[in-house]
């Protein structure tokens, strides 16, 4: 079950606001009668709604994997700057495909976008322990003491980070780190708390789903049904741990 305005949006009849305007104008009919209440609960599997005489066709949720490049804002829209929504087809944006969390302007890598707001919410809830794995290029090496500090939960002033897994990359001033929450500048602040500066940050995976290596920066693709199913399982806390080493080491050109 879902609200009628959301249903119309998922059927491709524009944004929520546009769907509500259609309802207000009496252009939507259910069972031969005009439907005007955007909050009306409908069963998306069985409802038979018509808009201007066109049968509304419910489409399954969209889930997208985007290789977010640096210099692009993670937002649905912005008056001045290019956003990740500008990299998607307009039809996806109209259907409400929204970023799952944020990456900083200068961070690149895996960004998920979905029309399923509940899935997004669950993937981001820290208590569900969905891991996001990052590659970080640093201004110096990290060591076992840093790993222990990350694992203990770093105090960052206004909050204490949940335990995170840090894996120094041998012979490099770089590391992989897995976190289960996504506060503003979280990874950068965690390294800062250990006296290190992040020079470059790339998200490698989210909920066990790795960035497709065939995607160029700025490119996207739909998730496969298997990937989407794995993501739903991860959102339910069914992700199997130990994922830190699975993403291949980042190789910068
Ligand atoms: N942590 C950060 O500091 N920045 C990001 O973009 C993502 C995680």
């Amino acid at each position: 079950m879902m609200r009628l305005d959301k249903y119309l949006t998922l059927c491709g009849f524009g944004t929520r606001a546009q769907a509500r305007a259609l309802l207000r104008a009496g252009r939507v009919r259910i069972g031969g009668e005009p439907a005007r209440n955007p909050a009306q609960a409908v069963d998306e599997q069985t409802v038979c709604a018509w808009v201007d005489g066109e049968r509304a066709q419910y489409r399954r949720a969209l889930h997208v994997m985007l290789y977010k490049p640096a210099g692009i804002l993670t937002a649905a829209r912005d008056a001045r700057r290019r956003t990740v929504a500008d990299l998607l087809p307009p039809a996806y944006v109209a259907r409400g495909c929204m970023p799952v969390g944020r990456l900083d302007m200068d961070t690149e890598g895996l960004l998920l976008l979905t029309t399923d707001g509940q899935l997004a919410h669950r993937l981001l809830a820290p208590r569900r322990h969905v891991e996001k794995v990052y590659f970080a290029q640093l201004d110096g090496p990290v060591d076992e003491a840093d790993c222990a500090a990350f694992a203990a939960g770093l105090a960052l002033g206004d909050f204490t980070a949940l335990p995170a897994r840090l894996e120094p990359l041998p012979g490099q001033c770089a590391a992989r780190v897995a976190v289960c929450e996504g506060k503003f500048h979280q990874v950068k602040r965690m390294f800062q708390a250990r006296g290190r500066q992040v020079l470059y940050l790339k998200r490698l995976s989210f909920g066990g789903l790795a960035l497709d290596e065939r995607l160029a920066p700025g490119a996207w693709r739909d998730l496969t049904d298997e990937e989407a199913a794995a993501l739903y399982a991860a959102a339910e806390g069914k992700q199997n741990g130990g994922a830190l080493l699975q993403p291949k080491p980042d190789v910068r050109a």
Side-chain angles (χ1 to χ4, degrees):
M1 300 293 285
M2 65 175 70
R3 288 171 58 105
L4 180 54
D5 54 356
K6 178 173 182 182
Y7 173 76
L8 292 171
T9 292
L10 294 179
C11 290
F13 289 101
T15 62
R16 287 282 187 107
Q18 288 165 336
R20 281 187 213 121
L22 289 173
L23 290 162
R24 266 198 311 276
R27 291 166 60 186
V28 182
R29 285 177 175 267
I30 297 178
E33 297 296 320
R36 296 183 188 274
N37 179 6
Q40 180 183 337
V42 293
D43 181 343
E44 67 276 12
Q45 303 303 336
T46 57
V47 68
C48 185
W50 299 78
V51 180
D52 293 338
E54 180 191 344
R55 171 84 194 265
Q57 302 277 0
Y58 177 68
R59 287 175 252 159
R60 291 189 312 159
L62 294 171
H63 310 291
V64 166
M65 165 188 295
L66 169 73
Y67 187 158
K68 178 198 168 301
I72 299 278
L73 190 70
T74 306
R77 68 180 74 84
D78 188 83
R80 291 178 297 114
R81 292 165 295 182
R82 286 189 80 207
T83 73
V84 292
D86 295 324
L87 301 173
L88 294 185
Y92 277 49
V93 179
R95 281 191 63 196
C97 206
M98 299 289 284
V100 180
R102 281 170 190 273
L103 291 177
D104 294 338
M105 192 81 156
D106 61 351
T107 300
E108 60 177 50
L110 174 60
L111 184 71
L112 296 173
L113 299 101
T114 180
T115 54
D116 185 340
Q118 190 179 52
L119 172 67
H121 186 73
R122 290 183 173 172
L123 288 170
L124 294 171
R127 67 184 174 83
R128 291 186 182 253
H129 294 284
V130 179
E131 277 192 341
K132 296 102 193 163
V133 180
Y134 295 84
F135 166 86
Q137 187 78 51
L138 305 162
D139 65 346
V142 282
D143 57 20
E144 285 309 314
D146 297 307
C147 295
F150 271 59
L154 284 164
L156 297 178
D158 50 336
F159 78 105
T160 299
L162 288 173
R165 299 193 290 147
L166 177 65
E167 180 192 274
L169 295 174
Q172 300 179 48
C173 294
R176 278 192 290 258
V177 58
V179 297
C180 293
E181 57 195 338
K183 300 244 173 32
F184 188 57
H185 292 334
Q186 168 129 7
V187 171
K188 291 172 186 165
R189 289 180 65 192
M190 289 167 78
F191 281 107
Q192 217 170 30
R194 299 295 302 170
R196 285 277 158 256
Q197 207 193 330
V198 173
L199 304 178
Y200 165 83
L201 192 62
K202 177 179 179 181
R203 184 151 66 197
L204 304 176
S205 73
F206 194 133
L209 183 68
L211 178 64
D212 189 330
E213 291 173 349
R214 289 163 299 188
L215 288 179
W220 64 275
R221 69 164 172 79
D222 294 305
L223 295 193
T224 64
D225 288 347
E226 292 73 27
E227 287 169 338
L231 213 51
Y232 277 96
E236 294 307 318
K238 293 179 188 145
Q239 182 187 359
N240 45 19
L244 233 194
L245 282 171
Q246 277 170 358
K248 296 220 176 67
D250 182 74
V251 180
R252 292 190 68 183

